[in-house]
Amino acid sequence: MFPYFIMLVFCGIPLFFMELSFGQFASQGCLGVWRVSPIFKGVGYGMMVVSTYIGIYYNVVICIAFYYFFASMNRILPWTYCNNLWNTENCAGVLSPNSSATFNISSQHSLLNLTMGLNQTLKRTSPSEEYWRRHVLNISGDIGDFGEVRLPLLGCLGVSWLVVFLCLIRGVKSSGKVVYFTATFPYVVLTILFIRGITLDGAINGILYYLTPQWDKILHAKVWGDAASQIFYSLGCAWGGLITMASYNKFHNNCYRDSIIISITNCATSVYAGFVIFSILGFMATHLGVDVSEVADHGPGLAFVAYPEALTLLPISPLWSILFFFMLILLGLGTQFCLLETLVTAIVDEIGSDWIIRWKTLVTLGVAIIGFLLGIPLTTQAGIYWLLLMDNYAASFSLVIISCIMCIAVMYIYGHRNYFKDIEMMLGFPPPLFFQFCWRFFSPAIIFFILIFTVIQYRPIKYNDYVYPDWALTIGFLMALSSVICIPLYAVFRVWRSEGHTFLQRLKNAVKPSKDWGPALLEHRTGRYAQISSSRCDSNPEAQPLNPEKLKDDLGLTIHGSNGQAHTQDSKV
């Protein structure tokens, strides 16, 4: 928790504010904003690659939540007892199949059986773990052994992509309305689960385990790296989504206030959710007579093994299970909306033709279909291995590298003074000194040192006792590099295509801002931007802001596509 808050203050909030202000100032997506320094447009492509990877496997996580949501619609949760076809002789349940009451710790016979189960050479296998591994996943023994496609998961994957597409069918016009529900209802569920959790026996033990510092881990680079990854995941930094969504804001919207409120509320929600989870785990540990650390898990194991097992101990357990997994679905969909909109906006923005703008809905459908097809291998018997591989490599340290390069490009190549003036022109005040120092010094330095120590203390990933083979780890590294490599590759391409007789001339032209860099609307192009607005209007009629609402309110001159999106052509304005 300590590294988490350090990363929040010195990296999370500053980078969140930078991306919001960046997208809002230019009214462009993660590719269009790099008119500020075209040589760094590869950063935008890197963000698109990261969003693609996350979008592929994140929807698989949502589809598993859908599976559990549907499975919870039974009188008895299917992972409650050990009397199912998929259970093994090593299964040791907390509940007796002959009684709906919870395990009586005073029962000599039950206590003896459970103690023997816990003390076996083979580790106790819970019904929820066997349900997860042997029924839901039917997991194979190796990442290369794909086996068969799990048809129930495939169906749920189709449902999740269909829901995402329908919510984005009209772009931010439709998703903006849906998010009012997906972003607020999880708080209702969290509060219900929190009140139920803290009233259970042993809940205080789980909460104390959650809040008690383990100072010996503070020197482990992995802890700091995980804190950084969680902040970047939680806030969405370096995904391109913040820039994309901010591009739809009104030009003078106070994104500084938004970034502070959203960042603090977001991370406070994470802490609040910790109380919800660990109160239930403390209750479960008390019933099992073991330490909380033995029932706590990480990754998919927490959401789909440990917590579902704890839910079986509650009265009316199907109700709590339905609420929990419905909450997971809503949280996942909120993230998926942003990822898909990032990709679609970048594609439409880059092509920029009237046809692609008019038929943006088809682009959204095409991206959804491709995402579904690429997610099919993750629904096979080896799918969980690939999901964790992508989770650990495709979008981990590449996120912090992209953010670090973005800070350097904006602060040192474009120039911090220029950027501070841009923000002052947009908001009416310059960014506070704390953010100025973070953007220029603290955030890049912290990110750099975390990368260094993460490399020094690198350990290959494992899934329980399964050790990934070298060829799989190589694929993981290639996925991580595929987003970062976009930056130097595009830089070389841009220098080669730039005007100039010498390399230095080409480099200088590739680094300096494009003529059409700046606010999208002519009325906002004041100061130094007013000097080039007239030439820009004549020479670049295709420069199009992304915000339909702002254009309708401010000018009333819009060109509407069939999907409700509105774009303005500055030459006609």
Side-chain angles (χ1 to χ4, degrees), residues 343-345 347-348 355-356 359-368:
L343 295 174
V344 171
T345 299
I347 293 170
V348 172
W355 182 92
I356 202 77
W359 296 102
K360 184 181 177 183
T361 302
L362 292 181
V363 179
T364 306
L365 177 62
V367 172

Side-chain angles (χ1 to χ4, degrees), residues 528-542:
R528 67 180 188 276
Y529 295 106
Q531 302 172 6
I532 59 173
S533 61
S534 59
S535 61
R536 172 178 174 268
C537 183
D538 295 334
S539 62
N540 189 13
E542 295 184 358

Side-chain angles (χ1 to χ4, degrees), residues 138-303:
N138 195 13
I139 190 170
S140 65
D142 185 73
I143 189 173
D145 182 11
F146 285 92
E148 63 180 9
V149 173
R150 302 289 297 143
L151 293 180
L153 290 181
L154 182 65
C156 290
L157 181 64
V159 169
S160 23
W161 273 112
L162 179 62
V163 171
V164 171
F165 168 70
L166 292 177
C167 292
L168 283 174
I169 196 167
R170 296 188 64 212
V172 293
K173 286 180 175 291
S174 53
S175 65
K177 294 179 177 63
V178 174
V179 164
Y180 277 110
F181 178 72
T182 62
T184 55
F185 187 74
Y187 285 99
V188 177
V189 179
L190 275 177
T191 303
I192 294 172
L193 294 175
F194 174 71
I195 294 173
R196 186 68 186 97
I198 60 176
T199 58
L200 297 171
D201 294 334
I204 188 64
N205 297 329
I207 293 174
L208 288 176
Y209 176 82
Y210 173 51
L211 296 177
T212 303
Q214 299 178 22
W215 295 108
D216 57 310
K217 295 184 181 295
I218 202 84
L219 297 179
H220 293 184
K222 187 178 186 306
V223 174
W224 291 85
D226 288 346
S229 295
Q230 178 59 25
I231 287 294
F232 277 77
Y233 257 77
S234 186
L235 293 177
C237 297
W239 292 18
L242 295 178
I243 295 176
T244 300
M245 293 303 174
S247 68
Y248 291 91
N249 284 342
K250 293 180 182 294
F251 183 74
H252 293 298
N253 173 65
N254 191 346
C255 58
Y256 168 68
R257 176 199 59 202
D258 294 346
S259 61
I260 298 294
I261 293 174
I262 294 172
S263 299
I264 294 177
T265 303
N266 174 79
C267 295
T269 303
S270 298
V271 175
Y272 182 40
F275 285 96
V276 176
I277 298 295
F278 279 90
S279 61
I280 298 287
L281 294 181
F283 165 70
M284 181 179 174
T286 300
H287 267 269
L288 289 175
V290 298
D291 189 73
V292 179
S293 61
E294 296 187 34
V295 297
D297 205 342
H298 66 279
L302 177 60

Side-chain angles (χ1 to χ4, degrees), residues 88-92 120 122-126 130:
T88 66
E89 59 184 12
N90 296 319
C91 181
Q120 281 179 344
L122 293 174
K123 184 182 177 183
R124 167 191 175 265
T125 307
S126 66
E130 293 200 347

